[in-house]
Amino acid sequence: MANDKNELLSKNFEPQQVDDKWYKHWLDQGYFKSVPDGREPYTIVMPPPNVTGVLHMGHCLNNTIQDILIRHARMSGKNACWVPGTDHASIATEAKVVGMLRERGIIKSSLSRDEFLAYAWEWKEKYGGIILSQLKKLGCSLDWDRTTFTMDQHYYDSVVKIFVDLHSKGVIYRGKRMINWDVKALTALSDEEVIRKETNQKLYYLRYALSDGEGMTNEEDQDAIIIATVRPETIMGDTAICVNPNDERYKHLHGKYAIVPLINRRIPIIADEYVTMDFGTGALKVTPAHDQNDYALGQKHKLEVVDCFNDDGTMSEAAQIYVGEDRFAVRKKIAIELEEKGFLVKTDSYKSEVGYSERTDAVVEPRLSMQWWVSTEKLASPALKAVMEEEIKFYPPKYRNLYRHWMENIKDWCISRQLWWGQRIPAWFDEAGNIFVAENEAAAQQKAKAHHGDNSFTLKQDEDCLDTWFSSWLWPFEVFRGYSNPGNEEINYYYPTQTLVTAPEIIFFWVARMVMAGYEYMEAKPFDAVYFTGIVRDKQGRKMSKSLGNSPDLLALIDLYGADATRFGIMIASPAGNDILFDETALEQGRNFNNKMWNALKLVQMWEDKVTDIQATAEDEFAMRWFANRLAEVKAEVAEQMKQFKLSEALKVIYSLVWNDFCSWYLEWVKPGMEAPIAATVLEKTKGYYTELLLLLHPFIPFITEEIQKQISPESGDLCIAQFTETITADKTILQQGVLLQQVISALRDVRNKQQIKPKEKIQVSLQTTESDMYRQISDIIQKQTNSDSFEFVTEKIAGAFTTVVGKDTFYVAGGEPTDSGLQKENLEKEKAHLMSFLVSVNKKLGNEKFVQNAKPEVIELEQKKRADAEEKLKIIEENLQSM
RNA sequence: GGGAGUUUAGCUCAGUUGGUUUAGAGCAUCUGCCUUACAAGCAGAGGGUCACAGGUUCGACUCCUGUAACUCCCACCA
């Protein structure tokens, strides 16, 4: 697969040349396929995107995280299984299909159910797979053979069976209630599908004349009652006016009647404490058909219900006027008419929360209607317990509170939708309105026959279908046919799954319900952990949306930067649960990182031509020992972070290890001179370290790591299925020596900068230290890294040289123009001042009797060491200052 | 109206049970470099009274109380 070793590598990494090649290779090798075996499983079921969807930044984040977890598990000896799929998304898809038909000049109502469904399936086959194929571009290591759709036959059947089962248990029932009605989609919505938005409205003050008992209007104002409403178009549905019984202004009106303007309906004036006296006029028009509260009031006071709207939000016959016109058009018109006829007293501007349909963005109409419901109380209790007792862990844990709050206040779930695309409700009615719930028509017939004792009936199936979430809550087990084929090998092996990665927005829609279904049907949790991603926002923190046009084209980004850079960019700053502010510069950072690694590869490959069997130098040995330990240290750190799902942090740490420790320090330390050879052992070790880095990075940026691995070692196996190596315990001493070396190099380079010594100009370094043995093994590195042509140990100050102190060692740098003693004096004075004030604070601490009494011995010891170190260093600096 | 969360360098965030050389990283900024792996780069530097006010403690970014700002969730004031 890999290029020939001697082939010239391109200047920069070109993802377009390698991404597809490797994805195809991994697929051909079947690396993403999982079958149950002796290994421990690591299972993730992908949150199935809507068939209507196209890949957006949210999917990118979500699936990148899942792929990182899955690849990390695969490389950790686990049997990794990641299941893809799509959701039929009843409302959203039906809306798309209706739209498509409209473009072709077909109206839905002119089609039979079967004809419509044929179009819907056609649409699904054509567009439904796009989003999954886009995930391949991202590098997602999904087990494609397991791809599941929520309307696959086994899945559809399971949904229906579960409906029947819950109905037989009395958990599912039918009831007439106030529901949220979507006038665009013409269906009921669950409470969760309603988005409340603060909306500017007008509050209309309307004058309702008081009735003399004969239904006559009286034109005098004192004989009227004024109400405030934001919905003047519903006055035709008014069946009472309500005031607070304690409201002195209206006490004389209790039991009297008022006249609804325009239609002259006579309605009673009732009293109820529900009404707030200081809102509006303290008098409320009661419209039981169009408001939840009014409905409750109506029930209590046995009021008539007048529904003045049609399904689609136009005025109904019952409204008497404006029949067939849209509710919002009528609102404007009726206000004018009311004003003209003297019923409108005034208007105020007013802000309130209005419910919008999540799917169609239509203003939701509260409506009384017969629907199917899931009683959630019993299902909720084990589901609440599992999260509270951390049998299921949430990352970040703050979402436990949110979950608890919802579960403790859970309401029944409206599951019927007046749509065709979805699982049809398995309930049949006879002419008398008896309901028979059964898996299929034959079974319903049997039930009906048993009920009637003969065949004197015809059955008609409920026209409605089920809420999408009533199918997606089975996802974690039915993708393994855990319900349709209970106890099969796969469900036993893969369930419970390990991690669910999803957005907090669907914690109620989906997460909570999967937990309920898991306990109800598998008698076990669906997953061990839930990782909540944040919301992807734009640079200014706004949500990405089509209307704002701030949602970047993901595929274009992948084309431009490559999949790895895209994954890097989205992951580098997105801790669990935090919203991420998407900024294209992060992708640039990812691309730059790829180039950095690519160039390191080029460097190492150049060394191939310089190999000899010479011995590694002491400096090489030091560099290698240091890097091996540094690598060990980071590996341990990364392992810990992965365990805690700190993916962003892990990536940052590896990034820094590669760029700073490996490229900036290690490679420079072992780099041979221009014409000099390199020891074979050094090259081999270096390639080994590089491979270790690639292993760590592979879950994050799979393509380039696979490519580089093949470049440095064409015979090696594929990184995709490679296993992480064991971690040794890092040696603290060598790590500290490494840090010291870096500090020395930086300090000397700083002197060069401050003295304005040109990079090409050599410097001469002298060192006054008590650790000359240690420095002897790294002196060549220091010289190489600071471009100095001499390095000597001395016992006193070098005249005319620039003095700088690192730790307890004093360096004298000569070279370039004569030293500016003012500058170096200033430098040392600054450091002196810093040490002095530091000493003051340490001394204060150590001088405090209570501190010495109460603090832990190791803390006191540390403070004493701090003091000793600071004093020693201060002494060195003062000596240097004196000799200036 | 109720609940939760956030507030640390210009930006995005780390900071584990209070003590780790008087707060770390990346990006951005500034200075000097086209040094043959890399200018999409290299080297170096600057930048924070840890939102504010109290309290507990020998010691607070870390614990407690209050205040402010922002974010999210839930909720039937027309």
Side-chain angles (χ1 to χ4, degrees):
Chain A
M1 289 291 309
N3 297 338
D4 185 68
K5 206 184 273 183
N6 293 322
E7 194 182 308
L8 219 61
L9 289 173
S10 58
K11 186 157 185 259
N12 288 326
F13 174 60
E14 287 164 5
Q16 299 78 6
Q17 308 295 314
V18 308
D19 286 10
D20 291 345
K21 172 182 78 179
W22 287 116
Y23 198 81
K24 183 171 182 303
H25 177 70
W26 296 328
L27 277 184
D28 289 346
Q29 297 295 313
Y31 291 154
F32 305 158
K33 254 206 94 35
S34 170
V35 286
D37 62 21
R39 289 175 295 169
E40 202 183 312
Y42 187 92
T43 316
I44 295 181
V45 291
M46 160 194 283
N50 291 352
V51 280
T52 58
V54 287
L55 202 60
H56 58 63
M57 296 313 292
H59 295 122
C60 175
L61 173 65
N62 188 271
N63 288 291
T64 299
I65 290 167
Q66 292 176 65
D67 195 44
I68 291 166
L69 294 173
I70 279 287
R71 285 181 185 268
H72 186 264
R74 191 178 290 124
M75 295 173 77
S76 306
K78 307 267 178 67
N79 183 348
C81 178
W82 187 15
V83 182
T86 45
D87 189 310
H88 67 279
S90 60
I91 298 183
T93 308
E94 183 147 333
K96 288 257 179 189
V97 175
V98 168
M100 172 197 79
L101 290 172
R102 198 182 302 126
E103 277 175 27
R104 295 198 210 166
I106 304 170
I107 314 166
K108 182 189 165 192
S109 55
S110 72
L111 297 175
S112 72
R113 185 180 190 112
D114 286 345
E115 285 167 341
F116 178 83
L117 287 178
Y119 281 117
W121 277 104
E122 182 192 314
W123 191 92
K124 185 260 169 187
E125 294 308 327
K126 195 166 169 193
Y127 301 107
I130 292 178
I131 194 161
L132 292 183
S133 64
Q134 289 174 332
L135 289 176
K136 293 180 180 171
K137 281 267 169 205
L138 250 190
C140 294
S141 57
L142 287 147
D143 185 350
W144 295 105
D145 294 345
R146 295 180 180 277
T147 306
T148 303
F149 178 53
T150 51
M151 292 225 293
D152 286 345
Q153 197 59 52
H154 70 95
Y155 206 109
Y156 192 112
D157 293 346
S158 295
V159 171
V160 167
K161 269 193 196 170
I162 278 177
F163 183 98
V164 175
D165 178 65
L166 288 177
H167 182 262
S168 74
K169 289 174 181 163
V171 175
I172 285 182
Y173 63 92
R174 200 158 178 262
K176 196 170 196 183
R177 297 232 199 130
M178 214 60 177
I179 48 95
N180 306 293
W181 182 259
D182 184 328
V183 299
K184 249 191 216 167
L186 301 181
T187 178
L189 300 174
S190 69
D191 290 346
E192 288 71 40
E193 288 166 310
V194 178
I195 314 287
R196 305 246 163 216
K197 295 187 215 168
E198 190 165 87
T199 306
N200 285 318
Q201 307 208 82
K202 266 188 190 164
L203 193 56
Y204 299 84
Y205 288 78
L206 304 179
R207 198 165 62 84
Y208 283 45
L210 295 172
S211 162
D212 59 7
E214 298 298 320
M216 299 291 289
T217 20
N218 187 326
E219 297 296 325
E220 296 303 313
D221 254 13
Q222 56 266 41
D223 293 324
I225 183 163
I226 294 167
I227 58 94
T229 179
V230 294
R231 303 202 61 189
E233 74 278 15
T234 65
I235 62 170
M236 291 80 82
D238 290 353
T239 51
I241 281 177
C242 191
V243 296
N244 194 297
N246 304 316
D247 195 332
E248 295 295 338
R249 294 172 293 178
Y250 299 120
K251 271 200 169 153
H252 63 290
L253 293 177
H254 296 176
K256 298 268 175 62
Y257 291 84
I259 301 296
V260 178
L262 307 184
I263 59 166
N264 294 330
R265 181 191 293 128
R266 183 168 171 265
I267 56 173
I269 296 170
I270 59 174
D272 195 290
E273 303 220 326
Y274 163 74
V275 178
T276 314
M277 287 189 276
D278 54 11
F279 185 89
T281 60
L284 169 75
K285 78 185 199 60
V286 184
T287 321
H290 301 300
D291 186 283
Q292 303 250 5
N293 309 305
D294 289 14
Y295 178 69
L297 265 177
Q299 293 259 291
K300 194 168 161 190
H301 296 273
K302 300 197 168 54
L303 298 175
E304 196 188 339
V305 177
V306 176
D307 186 346
C308 55
F309 292 132
N310 293 314
D311 286 357
D312 59 356
T314 57
M315 308 309 289
S316 69
E317 293 289 341
Q320 302 178 43
I321 52 176
Y322 298 108
V323 175
E325 297 187 48
D326 182 74
R327 53 190 171 152
F328 293 118
V330 172
R331 180 177 299 177
K332 283 183 190 148
K333 286 190 183 177
I334 204 169
I336 294 166
E337 184 176 352
L338 286 165
E339 183 164 25
E340 283 170 0
K341 298 192 172 164
F343 294 108
L344 182 64
V345 179
K346 62 166 179 171
T347 59
D348 277 349
S349 61
Y350 179 66
K351 256 187 199 165
S352 73
E353 301 262 297
V354 174
Y356 291 79
S357 165
E358 193 207 19
R359 301 288 179 190
T360 65
D361 207 37
V363 172
V364 163
E365 198 60 59
R367 201 151 192 261
L368 194 62
S369 138
M370 184 66 86
Q371 303 287 343
W372 290 93
W373 301 82
V374 171
S375 160
T376 40
E377 206 187 330
K378 247 188 277 166
L379 294 175
S381 96
L384 174 60
K385 198 173 145 218
V387 172
M388 285 305 105
E389 293 178 357
E390 292 198 89
E391 190 172 320
I392 298 172
K393 285 207 163 102
F394 279 7
Y395 296 90
K398 66 177 177 184
Y399 287 111
R400 290 172 66 216
N401 280 326
L402 185 63
Y403 180 88
R404 185 180 68 199
H405 188 255
W406 191 73
M407 286 301 246
E408 284 174 350
N409 297 289
I410 192 166
K411 292 191 191 139
D412 285 359
W413 172 18
C414 176
I415 53 168
S416 40
R417 295 290 181 278
Q418 287 63 49
L419 300 165
W420 285 345
W421 178 245
Q423 288 88 5
R424 189 168 180 179
I425 291 176
W428 281 261
F429 302 89
D430 66 12
E431 298 89 334
N434 292 306
I435 303 169
F436 305 98
V437 171
E439 280 175 37
N440 51 48
E441 181 150 15
Q445 289 281 357
Q446 289 236 311
K447 280 193 173 179
K449 202 169 161 185
H451 177 265
H452 287 277
D454 56 29
N455 282 325
S456 64
F457 58 87
T458 37
L459 292 183
K460 229 186 126 193
Q461 189 173 359
D462 194 317
E463 290 294 332
D464 294 352
C465 70
L466 290 159
D467 179 12
T468 295
W469 301 103
F470 192 84
S471 62
S472 16
W473 70 333
L474 316 181
W475 190 250
F477 53 83
E478 190 49 31
V479 294
F480 302 111
R481 290 169 167 70
Y483 188 73
S484 50
N485 181 17
N488 74 70
E489 187 197 5
E490 298 228 316
I491 191 76
N492 290 344
Y493 182 72
Y494 292 115
Y495 192 94
T497 69
Q498 271 55 60
T499 309
L500 176 78
V501 179
T502 192
E505 309 164 328
I506 54 175
I507 190 168
F508 311 133
F509 274 128
W510 195 43
V511 179
R513 287 169 184 161
M514 279 190 287
V515 179
M516 292 192 253
Y519 282 103
E520 183 72 12
Y521 288 104
M522 295 292 117
E523 286 165 11
K525 60 184 171 181
F527 26 70
D528 297 333
V530 184
Y531 177 111
F532 290 102
T533 66
I535 296 166
V536 183
R537 299 170 178 278
D538 70 8
K539 229 157 85 179
Q540 290 130 55
R542 301 174 306 179
K543 263 192 188 179
M544 289 193 170
S545 73
K546 271 186 206 150
S547 52
L548 278 173
N550 59 351
S551 186
D553 178 348
L554 189 55
L555 292 177
L557 288 176
I558 293 176
D559 279 346
L560 186 59
Y561 294 99
D564 291 324
T566 308
R567 292 165 64 115
F568 180 98
I570 197 110
M571 285 311 297
I572 194 65
S574 59
N578 272 31
D579 285 358
I580 88 157
L581 302 189
F582 178 79
D583 187 344
E584 212 168 308
T585 59
L587 303 209
E588 281 175 29
Q589 197 189 342
R591 177 200 57 191
N592 296 351
F593 183 47
N594 286 341
N595 281 336
K596 187 70 185 176
M597 288 194 294
W598 193 246
N599 281 301
L601 165 68
K602 286 200 292 194
L603 178 66
V604 172
Q605 289 209 332
M606 280 172 56
W607 293 351
E608 296 277 1
D609 301 330
K610 301 176 143 206
V611 186
T612 65
D613 54 4
I614 51 163
Q615 286 270 309
T617 63
E619 284 78 16
D620 292 338
E621 294 290 353
F622 177 89
M624 293 189 294
R625 206 165 70 244
W626 169 75
F627 191 75
N629 282 283
R630 178 72 190 121
L631 186 62
E633 189 182 31
V634 171
K635 273 167 78 177
E637 207 177 323
V638 168
E640 191 52 41
Q641 282 161 339
M642 290 302 290
K643 242 190 256 169
Q644 296 171 37
F645 291 97
K646 294 185 174 178
L647 309 188
S648 240
E649 287 296 301
L651 178 56
K652 275 183 196 169
V653 168
I654 307 170
Y655 171 83
S656 164
L657 176 69
V658 171
W659 200 305
N660 300 321
D661 296 297
F662 187 63
C663 293
S664 296
W665 296 120
Y666 172 78
L667 288 179
E668 295 296 338
W669 291 353
V670 298
K671 192 189 220 170
M674 198 92 76
E675 301 297 325
I678 188 164
T681 51
V682 175
L683 179 58
E684 281 317 302
K685 285 261 191 189
T686 302
K687 284 160 72 173
Y689 297 145
Y690 206 164
T691 295
E692 291 260 20
L693 296 173
L694 296 172
L695 280 167
L696 281 176
L697 277 168
H698 185 261
F700 298 92
I701 45 174
F703 295 110
I704 188 175
T705 48
E706 190 76 87
E707 177 68 20
I708 292 178
Q709 176 59 24
K710 289 304 186 320
Q711 292 283 350
I712 55 174
S713 179
E715 305 309 315
S716 67
D718 291 325
L719 220 47
C720 181
I721 50 158
Q723 297 298 297
F724 291 127
T725 54
E726 275 182 36
T727 306
I728 56 160
T729 313
D731 171 1
K732 288 261 157 52
T733 311
I734 183 79
L735 289 173
Q736 281 164 6
Q737 288 174 349
V739 170
L740 179 67
L741 175 56
Q742 292 165 7
Q743 285 173 343
V744 167
I745 293 167
S746 292
L748 297 179
R749 283 169 173 170
D750 189 33
V751 170
R752 193 185 262 286
N753 261 358
K754 290 209 170 91
Q755 288 294 92
Q756 298 188 313
I757 303 172
K758 296 235 158 55
K760 281 183 182 159
E761 217 170 313
K762 297 280 182 190
I763 55 168
Q764 293 77 48
V765 178
S766 308
L767 166 59
Q768 195 174 343
T769 181
T770 53
E771 302 279 344
S772 47
D773 283 349
M774 201 277 292
Y775 274 103
R776 246 180 274 278
Q777 58 172 333
I778 55 175
S779 62
D780 275 7
I781 295 178
I782 295 175
Q783 284 199 58
K784 187 158 72 178
Q785 292 273 276
T786 58
N787 194 24
S788 68
D789 56 5
S790 79
F791 186 92
E792 285 173 0
F793 294 96
V794 294
T795 50
E796 56 188 45
K797 184 178 162 54
I798 305 290
F802 195 102
T803 307
T804 188
V805 178
V806 180
K808 296 167 195 167
D809 309 314
T810 310
F811 288 83
Y812 306 106
V813 179
E817 301 292 308
T819 299
D820 173 356
S821 67
L823 183 67
Q824 68 173 322
K825 204 168 174 180
E826 190 185 309
N827 246 12
L828 290 173
E829 291 284 7
K830 235 164 110 181
E831 192 145 2
K832 182 183 167 186
H834 176 260
L835 278 170
M836 300 267 280
S837 66
F838 175 69
L839 265 176
V840 168
S841 84
V842 176
N843 279 329
K844 199 171 145 198
K845 216 180 235 190
L846 285 167
N848 184 329
E849 261 178 58
K850 286 188 179 169
F851 170 75
V852 180
Q853 277 165 16
N854 296 324
K856 280 182 274 182
E858 54 272 29
V859 175
I860 298 173
E861 215 172 288
L862 185 73
E863 291 300 320
Q864 281 164 342
K865 186 170 177 342
K866 279 191 207 169
R867 174 161 69 182
D869 285 354
E871 279 171 345
E872 201 174 335
K873 190 164 182 188
L874 190 63
K875 206 177 118 204
I876 293 166
I877 288 174
E878 277 171 341
E879 280 170 9
N880 275 304
L881 277 169
Q882 274 166 18
S883 62
M884 270 174 196

